[in-house]
Amino acid sequence: MSNSNEKPRSLYDKRVSQARIVRRVVFFCVLGLLIVGTILGISSYYYLKNALGPIDEESPEEIQVTIPIGSTANQIGTILEEEGLVRNGTLFRYYVRYKNESGFQAGEYNLSTSMTLDELISELKEGRVLEEPELVFTIPEGRWLEDVAVMIANSTGHAVEDIQAVLSDREYVEALIDQYPMLTEEILNESIRHPLEGYVFPAQYEFMVEDPSIKDIIEAMLNRTQTVVDELSSEIAESGYTIHEILTLASIIEREAKTSEDRYKISGVLHDRLESDMPLQVDPTVAYAIGEHRYMTSLTDLKIDSPYNTYRYKGIPVGPIANPGKDSIQAAVRPERTGALFFYARVNGEVIYSETYEEHNRVHQQYRQEWIDAESQGELEEEQENE
């Protein structure tokens, strides 16, 4: 009888002992993780504090730095690191993005190694170009890349054919993909008419030399787009769409809307249609597919077999159909949902939104004659020339 009582007790003691061992193991594992976590936390804190602080507060050195026109935060960070003003150029870029800083100015700066990262950022937003630019020209929003090439040619000594050759040079475009984070293999799709369509930023450009190279001009424009993309990077990531797709949507918005208010509402319609698995059915994509600047499309036009034709193919087109400005790019990631699935743009720029196809069709029938009259009188061609 005593033996049978001792056996269960022995088993119980054994289990208690094992439980104690397990608890000790768990305790020391947790303790180890806490110690490692604390060490990493303290190390990260001091690393960041050191990285954000001045390079040499005790014996500051003044360094003259040139920030070229159109420089991105990434390029500015590289310049500052090379000049010994920051410890890590990449950290500068991420810090700028975290602080949502922008508006850096090109020019000559006298910067000191005693400056913190915040002080450097503040200084770089106050600079001014010391020289008068030798060449100034403006690219309006919403133009096709072919039109942009003509505008550059008209403002410089470069021939249109030479500009177009550089823009379509596959080897050059592939090199640009390595240089600009916003550019991906998506732009090399053989169905895309121009790989850099949508990436050439519309703005005023100033150059310190009278005859900048074609590549210098193109890259100044790409720099501006990259800056905008960097500013919106977190919103683009949250949108569920790629940068290429967002710029494609932005190009459609740019071609459809004349006011900032309508850009965000039209973006809402496009997003709702995409999420409802409806075709976008926007006329500017058909005009781009045809290769002609048209404000009116026929039933025959709507049937054209092109990956740009949003009447024939669902989803976002294969690539941008124009070069959008910042407001349209922002609208593409900040859609204003109104419940409308349809919109109609009148000749005078007014946009009418409808929730049902029946409503939209009534609006279409009511105002279609405006477009017919305007086109027959040549007003649309004149408007295109004056934009």
Side-chain angles (χ1 to χ4, degrees), residues 272-342:
D272 283 344
R273 291 179 75 87
L274 287 169
E275 291 169 14
S276 300
D277 196 33
M278 296 172 62
L280 293 181
Q281 294 185 334
V282 281
D283 288 355
T285 62
V286 179
Y288 191 82
I290 296 169
E292 297 178 9
H293 287 293
R294 294 190 185 182
Y295 288 84
M296 291 185 63
T297 52
S298 66
L299 291 175
T300 302
D301 295 334
L302 300 184
K303 295 177 182 178
I304 185 172
D305 189 5
S306 166
Y308 288 102
N309 184 355
T310 55
Y311 280 85
R312 182 157 184 163
Y313 294 100
K314 288 183 180 180
I316 299 174
V318 67
I321 60 167
N323 292 281
K326 182 176 181 178
D327 198 37
S328 290
I329 300 173
Q330 286 183 162
V333 294
R334 301 172 187 173
E336 182 180 338
R337 315 278 185 154
T338 63
L341 285 173
F342 304 88

Side-chain angles (χ1 to χ4, degrees), residues 243-253 316-321 324:
I243 294 171
H244 186 70
E245 289 172 328
I246 288 297
L247 290 178
T248 301
L249 285 174
S251 71
I252 294 173
I253 293 166
I316 299 174
V318 67
I321 60 167

Side-chain angles (χ1 to χ4, degrees), residues 18-80:
Q18 288 174 339
R20 287 173 181 165
I21 294 171
V22 169
R23 284 197 294 272
R24 286 196 190 98
V25 170
V26 171
F27 171 77
F28 284 112
C29 286
V30 171
L31 181 63
L33 289 173
L34 287 173
I35 292 171
V36 171
T38 302
I39 293 171
L40 288 175
I42 294 172
S43 300
S44 299
Y45 169 77
Y46 282 106
Y47 172 77
L48 287 173
K49 184 179 179 181
N50 184 54
L52 298 177
I55 292 289
D56 192 345
E57 195 171 16
E58 300 298 326
S59 304
E61 177 186 358
E62 195 170 82
I63 300 171
Q64 189 174 60
V65 176
T66 301
I67 303 299
I69 292 174
S71 296
T72 63
N74 190 35
Q75 291 166 327
I76 293 173
T78 300
I79 292 170
L80 295 179

Side-chain angles (χ1 to χ4, degrees), residues 66 232 262 289-290 347 379:
T66 301
L232 298 171
D262 282 322
I290 296 169
V347 171
E379 294 176 6

